[in-house]
Amino acid sequence: MRAPLSTAIAIGAGVLTLLGFFIPIEALTSMRSLLIEWAVLLAGVAGLVAIVHLLSVHWRKMTASHNRSVTSAFLLIAFGVTFAAGMVLKPGHPTVQKIVTHIQVPIEASLMGVLAISLTAAAIRLFQRRGGWMSVLFAVSAFVFLILGSGFLSSFANIPVLKNLLAAVNSLPVAGARGILIGVALGSLTTGLRVLLGTDRPYSG
Amino acid sequence: MITILGVLGLGVVFLAAGSIIILRMIGKDHGQPAFRKIAAFDDLKKSIGLAVENGTRTHVTLGKASLTQSSNPSALAGLAALERIARISSTSDRPPIASSGDGGLTLLSQDMLHAAYRSVHAPELYDPGRGRLTGITPMSYIAGLLPIATGEDVSSHVMIGNFGPEIALVAEAAENANAFSLAASDSLPAQAALFASAQEPIIGEELFAAPAYLEAERSHAASLQTQDILRWGVIVVLIGGAILKMMGIL
Amino acid sequence: MAPDLLWTLIAFFLTILVLSYVLGDNALFRMVMMIFVGISAGYGAVLLFYQVIMPRLITPLVTAPPADRMVLIIPAVLSILLLFKLSPRLSVLGNPSMALLTGVGAAVAIGGAVSGTLFGQISGTISLFDLSGLSSAGSAISQLFGGIVLLTGTICSLAYFHFGARKKGEENTGAQPAIIQLLAGIGKVFIAITLGALFAGVLAASLAALIERLDFLINVIKPMIS
Amino acid sequence: MSEIICPYCGYSNDIDALTCLSCKKSLYDDVEEPGNPPQQEGMDWLNTFRGFDTKTNASTLDLKPGDGSTDAEPEIPDWLARIRALKGEEAPPLEDESLPPGEMPSLNNQDADLPDWIKEIKASDSPQPGKENNEDFPDWLRNLSAEENLAPKPEASERSGAALPDIPDDLQMDEPAEFNFDAQSVEGNPIAPVSPPLDIGGLPDEFFQELTAGQTHAAEEIDQPDLDWLLERAQTNLPQEEAAAQPLDELNWQDQPSLEQPEPEPSANESEPVESAELPAWMFESGEPAGNETVESTEIDFASLEGNLTGTGSEDLITTPQEEELPDWLLEDKAAPPAQAPEYLPEAPSDVETGEMPGWLHAVRPIEAAAPKLVKSEEESRIEASGPLAGYQGVLPGQGVVTHYSKPPVYSARMQVTDKQRIYATLFETLIADEARVGAPAAAKTESSQLVIRLAVGLVMVVALLAILILQPGFAAFPTLVPPESVAFYDSVQTLTSATTPPRVLVALDYDPALSGELRTISTSVLEDWMAGNSGLAFISISPAGPALVSELVNTAAIQIPAYLTAERVINLGYLPGGASALAALANSPTRAAPTTLDGLPAWESLLLQGMNTVADFDAILLLTDNAENSRTWVEQVKPAAGDTPLLVVSSAQVAPVLQPYVQSGQISGMVSGFTGGAAYEQLTQSASGPVRRYWDAYQGGMLLIAALMLIGAAVFGIKNIVRRPK
């Protein structure tokens, strides 16, 4: 068996956490809380390690003798400035918060705006990419809910039939969503169990 | 004090675990079980093979789910698929790269690549630079993915994990670069966005079938069979519960 | 120049550069993306240090009573081992830490899936058939009808994902029993409707973001013009 | 990022590096070594795939001159290097092989199947007597021929007898479904043909040894006429479509009967080396000087072998190994110093003795059988002449690949073509060229249309929205139909804020900056109402950027309520890392999960939160979210711990359908989602100047515009699909 110690730790920690989840005995629940706290801490440390790795990758790109990536330099500088400011001034400082609200927010929000255009273009080309009646239903449904979402029809709310019809149509997606969510839950269950059974060992690198 | 839901929950967990173990053992004697065709996975196999033949790269991205989030199984399924893809394409001059939007996932993807190359007796192929964190927030993760989608000679993108709808930007960039893209997410908004923008969208639970359809370990097939068993169990409970509720018994 | 105006101008130009992606990928856009990744990583690292490492590890190790410190030694050691992941040669030393993280993560996922989604969605579906306390027969019938439609949709959507197929000898035919095909066909309809509705929702959200950004641009330019 | 992986240390080197920057070892010695194990790894579909490749993957054959550029050289995939190595090993025996009279005309059996125009050409030449005589072959070779002739043969003869326009179709018949490049490329995926760059570095030394050996033989032993038939045979060895697609000045082959083989037949190809020494008159026609012929014959043998190895595929149509199109590496190898040849020569006697395996049999043995043995015997036979290992046998050759690398000589390849041949050739070439280009324009068309559509959509939307935002036409009516969940939300807020004691609310900020535009706009009105009721607001962020967004949100809302003392009534608990797990911890014990404020001060000792220990102690939980998964966690894990405390949700439009089930089941007490919900809420609060109202025209206009664009797209492409279907 590969990585027996790690496998034992994964199974042990997982089983204890799981038991603490379903059996509300003080010993188990406190053990579960403790393990979750450790996991959150380790996730934080892993985040820092991965950030260092991200920087090293871009440093390599920047200093490569061929195909040198100039944009990587911008990444490293941006990181350096933000990190230094954050460490010195602390995250709550207005200047550090301005970095988020005046640099990160505009960029993210603009990317989201670009997504609106990309998705519209994708929707237009849907039938060019793939036919089939599922695509047709998807397009019809998207069209109907775009109209509903625009609030255009709510101007005709005084028509009782329309009101009931809209209510019925609005509840239709719930059925499919439930089916998908339950299916995803089943998949999550079996995937998680493979880790707890030790058949999946992604940590055995 | 133990609640009924707690007992039921444990019961479901033990049932599923037992089923996976038994089906895995049975499978050893009876070979690979039959599954319905999912065209997207067939196309993925072809695409990986052609990436190997053409000396181009396969890119696997695992999403942004933290390991401490309840949506991490999608990433675990992605990791299993990554391991399989790394094995298959280890003959390529351009080994696959893995990207993710969470630190823990990044380290696991590096471990997975390492394990995959060791299993094909080519540990020297392992380069930690191919298991990358592209961004720490959901949108910066996507921003970091765009250069990979448009450069680095990637001919095949496999997106399996937890994404937001913004992943459609990557699918679009991949299509502009004439690359194959298979996308699967456990997030409903992302599935909707990908249905319109990805070449091969995978819907819902099919995400967890990726490793089994890529002919990974026997346990993956067993867990798919277990999903089927639990599915019909849930259906029976839904119908029975509805009838009992209507009769006022439940 | 007032600092606020400077910040606003930075936001203005960044917005313009990102929106330039509408015209196609370009060097300036790529540059902004790299800056964005760098800044978010920098801010994320600061947050992780001040909001995770400090309050959960360093401060307690210094200030906590000895008994608690003994307990904290385990995560401290695991955290240190995790740092070895930075070295390809020594990365194997970090495996136990990753194993604990993965094991706990898997358990959290199972717990959430079973007691959260599975039980939650099943009870949510069943509760639609609770006809008690309904004033009139009409409302009972309409609720029952609605419940049956939703139940059918949920069941058929679930059936659509059924993976098993018939085997002819050793060959996988990929064919499924007629009843499953029928249910899956109906399930497809509900799934397509759901995805369509979600797609409209995503478009609405992203459109809102686009509108807000364009409004921001207008608000910056207006005073300059007037 | 182009790179070469070092086979020794796995380090990623630059594209044109010859030695590894890390371990300083040559990157081109035995590069396929690491790749071997996976081939035995039991990935059936990929193995068959690779199997197909050596027979049919035309993209591997695309020997365009540009591809040979040294820049691209190191990018050669290992599998191609392996194939070349095998070709190299097969090459030398071809020079001195001889063919009994019976063998060669095996091609003539197909005369009946030939297109008329080729028969015409043939009629002008002396016909070839004799039949294919399989008795002369060893058993295993007969089996081999039989195997290789199985499926394609009947179709081949049948199709080759068809009219000229059919030929291109035939050319694709052997292409497996998996390799339908045209179909794939239309979809704009990587399956579109790629011509792999060429790399001498990627080739094993044996290849060069064989090459030099081949040249030596060619120069010393092969006399002029032999060279001619070699030239002809080389051309016949090419798959038909390759030959057919040759440029005009190369089309002399058309008056050669050897070309009467309109369908590439592996068995025929493989048995062709078994040719008679007494060659027919037509074979001796040549206008070329001996030297050229010598080299040319060798070259074309390689090309023909390549044909044998890689078989037919649509790409072969446009990749004819004609002289000027021969890749650099091939020409360079021929230019390698013959002096080195003897040292590397395999044990293949120049004159075949009775009872020994003749050279031609070497050539036609199955590659798998031949290659390893050949390499082994050669390595074993080699004796080191100098250095510390002098006298040792089986020492690996010291020469680096670079030493073989030199500027190739240029050879002319003038061919005499009659007008008639030129006409046929042009016609044939056009037909095949059209056929070969089926996929490419389609893909290009799709790609360009995709970019045009995106650009057009972008411009239309941006211009339309800017116009509406600037002009504020006020055409959109504010919604009068209010969703019940919004009404429930409004009622809860009113009930709590109108209470005698100001409520204390846990506000969970769980959205990314990407959607702050939408969520800030919606939640501003809501926060204004809470502030108007002097509520105590404890903010906790689930997203990393949350703490910064909190201050922005609070400041925006507080502008409308100047009396509200944010310093006293608002506390920022900062970022809560850990996602679902952290939420579970928050549900169990908020004091432990979020002990400090963003500034690091003890949060639960502050005036606002004094005496609070659980989430149930709050009067309400307000969740501002764009995240379906986390919302579910709030509902499933925090709400049960909160007991009767209402869970109110302000959500992005994108997660509304996911949260609907929880609204129906009552786990969410009230919800305002998207601009529509925000508008409904502002309608209920009778707010005349709410932020949503300002955007309402643009929002409704934008949504209707998108719907219209979708409709147009569906109509256009739907109709296109319907029109295309009959084809």
Side-chain angles (χ1 to χ4, degrees), chain A residues 68-82:
Chain A
R68 182 173 295 171
S69 163
V70 185
T71 51
S72 295
F74 290 105
L75 184 146
L76 295 170
I77 292 165
F79 175 86
V81 171
T82 316

mmCIF file with all atom_site columns, all heavy atoms in Angstrom, chain A residues 68-82:
data_model
loop_
_atom_site.group_PDB
_atom_site.id
_atom_site.type_symbol
_atom_site.label_atom_id
_atom_site.label_alt_id
_atom_site.label_comp_id
_atom_site.label_asym_id
_atom_site.label_entity_id
_atom_site.label_seq_id
_atom_site.pdbx_PDB_ins_code
_atom_site.Cartn_x
_atom_site.Cartn_y
_atom_site.Cartn_z
_atom_site.occupancy
_atom_site.B_iso_or_equiv
_atom_site.pdbx_formal_charge
_atom_site.auth_seq_id
_atom_site.auth_comp_id
_atom_site.auth_asym_id
_atom_site.auth_atom_id
_atom_site.pdbx_PDB_model_num
ATOM 1   N N   . ARG A 1 68 ? 10.389 34.697 -22.565 1.00 0.00 ? 68 ARG A N   1
ATOM 2   C CA  . ARG A 1 68 ? 10.280 35.390 -21.277 1.00 0.00 ? 68 ARG A CA  1
ATOM 3   C C   . ARG A 1 68 ? 8.929  36.087 -21.183 1.00 0.00 ? 68 ARG A C   1
ATOM 4   O O   . ARG A 1 68 ? 8.466  36.696 -22.150 1.00 0.00 ? 68 ARG A O   1
ATOM 5   C CB  . ARG A 1 68 ? 11.410 36.415 -21.173 1.00 0.00 ? 68 ARG A CB  1
ATOM 6   C CG  . ARG A 1 68 ? 11.429 37.173 -19.862 1.00 0.00 ? 68 ARG A CG  1
ATOM 7   C CD  . ARG A 1 68 ? 12.658 38.029 -19.756 1.00 0.00 ? 68 ARG A CD  1
ATOM 8   N NE  . ARG A 1 68 ? 13.875 37.218 -19.693 1.00 0.00 ? 68 ARG A NE  1
ATOM 9   C CZ  . ARG A 1 68 ? 15.098 37.714 -19.762 1.00 0.00 ? 68 ARG A CZ  1
ATOM 10  N NH1 . ARG A 1 68 ? 15.275 39.010 -19.913 1.00 0.00 ? 68 ARG A NH1 1
ATOM 11  N NH2 . ARG A 1 68 ? 16.161 36.924 -19.706 1.00 0.00 ? 68 ARG A NH2 1
ATOM 12  N N   . SER A 1 69 ? 8.290  35.944 -20.038 1.00 0.00 ? 69 SER A N   1
ATOM 13  C CA  . SER A 1 69 ? 6.980  36.553 -19.851 1.00 0.00 ? 69 SER A CA  1
ATOM 14  C C   . SER A 1 69 ? 7.127  37.862 -19.076 1.00 0.00 ? 69 SER A C   1
ATOM 15  O O   . SER A 1 69 ? 7.450  37.853 -17.884 1.00 0.00 ? 69 SER A O   1
ATOM 16  C CB  . SER A 1 69 ? 6.067  35.590 -19.077 1.00 0.00 ? 69 SER A CB  1
ATOM 17  O OG  . SER A 1 69 ? 4.979  36.303 -18.561 1.00 0.00 ? 69 SER A OG  1
ATOM 18  N N   . VAL A 1 70 ? 6.885  38.967 -19.799 1.00 0.00 ? 70 VAL A N   1
ATOM 19  C CA  . VAL A 1 70 ? 7.018  40.286 -19.157 1.00 0.00 ? 70 VAL A CA  1
ATOM 20  C C   . VAL A 1 70 ? 5.861  40.503 -18.174 1.00 0.00 ? 70 VAL A C   1
ATOM 21  O O   . VAL A 1 70 ? 6.040  41.080 -17.106 1.00 0.00 ? 70 VAL A O   1
ATOM 22  C CB  . VAL A 1 70 ? 7.018  41.401 -20.231 1.00 0.00 ? 70 VAL A CB  1
ATOM 23  C CG1 . VAL A 1 70 ? 7.282  42.755 -19.610 1.00 0.00 ? 70 VAL A CG1 1
ATOM 24  C CG2 . VAL A 1 70 ? 8.063  41.087 -21.286 1.00 0.00 ? 70 VAL A CG2 1
ATOM 25  N N   . THR A 1 71 ? 4.691  39.983 -18.547 1.00 0.00 ? 71 THR A N   1
ATOM 26  C CA  . THR A 1 71 ? 3.510  40.231 -17.694 1.00 0.00 ? 71 THR A CA  1
ATOM 27  C C   . THR A 1 71 ? 3.697  39.624 -16.304 1.00 0.00 ? 71 THR A C   1
ATOM 28  O O   . THR A 1 71 ? 3.125  40.115 -15.336 1.00 0.00 ? 71 THR A O   1
ATOM 29  C CB  . THR A 1 71 ? 2.243  39.637 -18.341 1.00 0.00 ? 71 THR A CB  1
ATOM 30  O OG1 . THR A 1 71 ? 2.516  38.280 -18.681 1.00 0.00 ? 71 THR A OG1 1
ATOM 31  C CG2 . THR A 1 71 ? 1.823  40.416 -19.575 1.00 0.00 ? 71 THR A CG2 1
ATOM 32  N N   . SER A 1 72 ? 4.509  38.564 -16.224 1.00 0.00 ? 72 SER A N   1
ATOM 33  C CA  . SER A 1 72 ? 4.763  37.974 -14.903 1.00 0.00 ? 72 SER A CA  1
ATOM 34  C C   . SER A 1 72 ? 5.396  38.987 -13.957 1.00 0.00 ? 72 SER A C   1
ATOM 35  O O   . SER A 1 72 ? 5.166  38.945 -12.751 1.00 0.00 ? 72 SER A O   1
ATOM 36  C CB  . SER A 1 72 ? 5.674  36.759 -15.049 1.00 0.00 ? 72 SER A CB  1
ATOM 37  O OG  . SER A 1 72 ? 5.026  35.754 -15.783 1.00 0.00 ? 72 SER A OG  1
ATOM 38  N N   . ALA A 1 73 ? 6.174  39.894 -14.537 1.00 0.00 ? 73 ALA A N   1
ATOM 39  C CA  . ALA A 1 73 ? 6.803  40.919 -13.699 1.00 0.00 ? 73 ALA A CA  1
ATOM 40  C C   . ALA A 1 73 ? 5.730  41.778 -13.030 1.00 0.00 ? 73 ALA A C   1
ATOM 41  O O   . ALA A 1 73 ? 5.833  42.109 -11.843 1.00 0.00 ? 73 ALA A O   1
ATOM 42  C CB  . ALA A 1 73 ? 7.710  41.790 -14.550 1.00 0.00 ? 73 ALA A CB  1
ATOM 43  N N   . PHE A 1 74 ? 4.677  42.110 -13.792 1.00 0.00 ? 74 PHE A N   1
ATOM 44  C CA  . PHE A 1 74 ? 3.586  42.913 -13.205 1.00 0.00 ? 74 PHE A CA  1
ATOM 45  C C   . PHE A 1 74 ? 2.946  42.174 -12.036 1.00 0.00 ? 74 PHE A C   1
ATOM 46  O O   . PHE A 1 74 ? 2.621  42.771 -11.010 1.00 0.00 ? 74 PHE A O   1
ATOM 47  C CB  . PHE A 1 74 ? 2.539  43.219 -14.274 1.00 0.00 ? 74 PHE A CB  1
ATOM 48  C CG  . PHE A 1 74 ? 3.012  44.191 -15.317 1.00 0.00 ? 74 PHE A CG  1
ATOM 49  C CD1 . PHE A 1 74 ? 3.355  43.753 -16.577 1.00 0.00 ? 74 PHE A CD1 1
ATOM 50  C CD2 . PHE A 1 74 ? 3.145  45.541 -15.024 1.00 0.00 ? 74 PHE A CD2 1
ATOM 51  C CE1 . PHE A 1 74 ? 3.811  44.637 -17.539 1.00 0.00 ? 74 PHE A CE1 1
ATOM 52  C CE2 . PHE A 1 74 ? 3.587  46.427 -15.979 1.00 0.00 ? 74 PHE A CE2 1
ATOM 53  C CZ  . PHE A 1 74 ? 3.930  45.979 -17.239 1.00 0.00 ? 74 PHE A CZ  1
ATOM 54  N N   . LEU A 1 75 ? 2.776  40.878 -12.213 1.00 0.00 ? 75 LEU A N   1
ATOM 55  C CA  . LEU A 1 75 ? 2.178  40.078 -11.134 1.00 0.00 ? 75 LEU A CA  1
ATOM 56  C C   . LEU A 1 75 ? 3.036  40.160 -9.878  1.00 0.00 ? 75 LEU A C   1
ATOM 57  O O   . LEU A 1 75 ? 2.540  40.442 -8.785  1.00 0.00 ? 75 LEU A O   1
ATOM 58  C CB  . LEU A 1 75 ? 2.020  38.631 -11.590 1.00 0.00 ? 75 LEU A CB  1
ATOM 59  C CG  . LEU A 1 75 ? 1.325  37.688 -10.612 1.00 0.00 ? 75 LEU A CG  1
ATOM 60  C CD1 . LEU A 1 75 ? 0.498  36.655 -11.360 1.00 0.00 ? 75 LEU A CD1 1
ATOM 61  C CD2 . LEU A 1 75 ? 2.302  36.960 -9.708  1.00 0.00 ? 75 LEU A CD2 1
ATOM 62  N N   . LEU A 1 76 ? 4.330  39.965 -10.073 1.00 0.00 ? 76 LEU A N   1
ATOM 63  C CA  . LEU A 1 76 ? 5.227  39.947 -8.905  1.00 0.00 ? 76 LEU A CA  1
ATOM 64  C C   . LEU A 1 76 ? 5.260  41.309 -8.218  1.00 0.00 ? 76 LEU A C   1
ATOM 65  O O   . LEU A 1 76 ? 5.206  41.396 -6.984  1.00 0.00 ? 76 LEU A O   1
ATOM 66  C CB  . LEU A 1 76 ? 6.629  39.518 -9.343  1.00 0.00 ? 76 LEU A CB  1
ATOM 67  C CG  . LEU A 1 76 ? 6.728  38.081 -9.866  1.00 0.00 ? 76 LEU A CG  1
ATOM 68  C CD1 . LEU A 1 76 ? 8.082  37.823 -10.503 1.00 0.00 ? 76 LEU A CD1 1
ATOM 69  C CD2 . LEU A 1 76 ? 6.498  37.082 -8.737  1.00 0.00 ? 76 LEU A CD2 1
ATOM 70  N N   . ILE A 1 77 ? 5.290  42.368 -9.027  1.00 0.00 ? 77 ILE A N   1
ATOM 71  C CA  . ILE A 1 77 ? 5.329  43.719 -8.430  1.00 0.00 ? 77 ILE A CA  1
ATOM 72  C C   . ILE A 1 77 ? 4.020  43.977 -7.668  1.00 0.00 ? 77 ILE A C   1
ATOM 73  O O   . ILE A 1 77 ? 4.025  44.418 -6.512  1.00 0.00 ? 77 ILE A O   1
ATOM 74  C CB  . ILE A 1 77 ? 5.541  44.788 -9.529  1.00 0.00 ? 77 ILE A CB  1
ATOM 75  C CG1 . ILE A 1 77 ? 6.951  44.637 -10.112 1.00 0.00 ? 77 ILE A CG1 1
ATOM 76  C CG2 . ILE A 1 77 ? 5.333  46.192 -8.969  1.00 0.00 ? 77 ILE A CG2 1
ATOM 77  C CD1 . ILE A 1 77 ? 7.151  45.366 -11.421 1.00 0.00 ? 77 ILE A CD1 1
ATOM 78  N N   . ALA A 1 78 ? 2.889  43.659 -8.333  1.00 0.00 ? 78 ALA A N   1
ATOM 79  C CA  . ALA A 1 78 ? 1.577  43.897 -7.702  1.00 0.00 ? 78 ALA A CA  1
ATOM 80  C C   . ALA A 1 78 ? 1.487  43.135 -6.387  1.00 0.00 ? 78 ALA A C   1
ATOM 81  O O   . ALA A 1 78 ? 1.026  43.669 -5.371  1.00 0.00 ? 78 ALA A O   1
ATOM 82  C CB  . ALA A 1 78 ? 0.467  43.462 -8.648  1.00 0.00 ? 78 ALA A CB  1
ATOM 83  N N   . PHE A 1 79 ? 1.953  41.887 -6.407  1.00 0.00 ? 79 PHE A N   1
ATOM 84  C CA  . PHE A 1 79 ? 1.920  41.093 -5.174  1.00 0.00 ? 79 PHE A CA  1
ATOM 85  C C   . PHE A 1 79 ? 2.782  41.751 -4.100  1.00 0.00 ? 79 PHE A C   1
ATOM 86  O O   . PHE A 1 79 ? 2.341  41.953 -2.967  1.00 0.00 ? 79 PHE A O   1
ATOM 87  C CB  . PHE A 1 79 ? 2.423  39.672 -5.437  1.00 0.00 ? 79 PHE A CB  1
ATOM 88  C CG  . PHE A 1 79 ? 2.531  38.851 -4.183  1.00 0.00 ? 79 PHE A CG  1
ATOM 89  C CD1 . PHE A 1 79 ? 1.427  38.164 -3.704  1.00 0.00 ? 79 PHE A CD1 1
ATOM 90  C CD2 . PHE A 1 79 ? 3.715  38.801 -3.459  1.00 0.00 ? 79 PHE A CD2 1
ATOM 91  C CE1 . PHE A 1 79 ? 1.514  37.430 -2.533  1.00 0.00 ? 79 PHE A CE1 1
ATOM 92  C CE2 . PHE A 1 79 ? 3.802  38.068 -2.294  1.00 0.00 ? 79 PHE A CE2 1
ATOM 93  C CZ  . PHE A 1 79 ? 2.701  37.381 -1.832  1.00 0.00 ? 79 PHE A CZ  1
ATOM 94  N N   . GLY A 1 80 ? 4.005  42.105 -4.489  1.00 0.00 ? 80 GLY A N   1
ATOM 95  C CA  . GLY A 1 80 ? 4.943  42.669 -3.521  1.00 0.00 ? 80 GLY A CA  1
ATOM 96  C C   . GLY A 1 80 ? 4.380  43.907 -2.843  1.00 0.00 ? 80 GLY A C   1
ATOM 97  O O   . GLY A 1 80 ? 4.372  44.016 -1.609  1.00 0.00 ? 80 GLY A O   1
ATOM 98  N N   . VAL A 1 81 ? 3.828  44.808 -3.656  1.00 0.00 ? 81 VAL A N   1
ATOM 99  C CA  . VAL A 1 81 ? 3.296  46.066 -3.109  1.00 0.00 ? 81 VAL A CA  1
ATOM 100 C C   . VAL A 1 81 ? 2.133  45.781 -2.161  1.00 0.00 ? 81 VAL A C   1
ATOM 101 O O   . VAL A 1 81 ? 2.098  46.243 -1.016  1.00 0.00 ? 81 VAL A O   1
ATOM 102 C CB  . VAL A 1 81 ? 2.840  46.987 -4.272  1.00 0.00 ? 81 VAL A CB  1
ATOM 103 C CG1 . VAL A 1 81 ? 2.088  48.195 -3.736  1.00 0.00 ? 81 VAL A CG1 1
ATOM 104 C CG2 . VAL A 1 81 ? 4.048  47.426 -5.092  1.00 0.00 ? 81 VAL A CG2 1
ATOM 105 N N   . THR A 1 82 ? 1.184  44.957 -2.626  1.00 0.00 ? 82 THR A N   1
ATOM 106 C CA  . THR A 1 82 ? -0.002 44.677 -1.799  1.00 0.00 ? 82 THR A CA  1
ATOM 107 C C   . THR A 1 82 ? 0.381  43.955 -0.512  1.00 0.00 ? 82 THR A C   1
ATOM 108 O O   . THR A 1 82 ? -0.095 44.308 0.570   1.00 0.00 ? 82 THR A O   1
ATOM 109 C CB  . THR A 1 82 ? -0.988 43.786 -2.589  1.00 0.00 ? 82 THR A CB  1
ATOM 110 O OG1 . THR A 1 82 ? -1.100 44.276 -3.904  1.00 0.00 ? 82 THR A OG1 1
ATOM 111 C CG2 . THR A 1 82 ? -2.350 43.761 -1.942  1.00 0.00 ? 82 THR A CG2 1
#
